[in-house]
Amino acid sequence: MSAHCQLTGAQPGFGNRISHSHRRTARRFDPNIQRKRYWLPSEGRYVRLTLSARAIRTVDTIGVEAAVARIPARGTKV
C-alpha cells in the first residue's frame, strides 16, 4: 500500500534525523494512511478508499458522495 491519500493527496515528506552529536541521516515522514470501506448509496456498492486520518474526518463532515465526487478531479480512479 503506497503512503498516498486519494482525497487530500497527502504523501510522505522527507527530512533528516538529527542525533545528539548533530549528525544527519535521511528519514521519511509518512502520513497516517488507512484503508476504509464506505457504502455508496447512489451506485449501490461499497468503495474502498485509501485515506489519511484527516481525510476520514473530511468524509465524515462532507459525506461520502461529495468526497467520492472530488477524487476523480485529482486524477485517481474510484
Side-chain angles (χ1 to χ4, degrees):
M1 171 170 62
S2 71
H4 184 268
C5 177
Q6 289 180 310
L7 184 61
T8 62
Q11 54 192 354
F14 296 90
N16 289 307
R17 228 179 232 107
I18 302 180
S19 70
H20 179 69
S21 64
H22 220 66
R23 289 177 56 105
R24 290 177 164 93
T25 55
R27 66 160 293 180
R28 182 172 144 149
F29 296 90
D30 284 328
N32 185 4
I33 298 294
Q34 312 289 327
R35 280 189 59 137
K36 192 143 169 69
R37 194 173 81 146
Y38 289 100
W39 174 252
L40 200 57
S42 65
E43 296 184 22
R45 68 182 180 107
Y46 285 99
V47 291
R48 189 175 299 276
L49 302 175
T50 305
L51 301 172
S52 63
R54 181 173 27 153
I56 291 172
R57 290 194 302 270
T58 302
V59 170
D60 291 343
T61 303
I62 67 173
V64 67
E65 297 285 344
V68 169
R70 287 186 189 183
I71 291 173
R74 301 194 77 259
T76 307
K77 187 180 172 198
V78 177

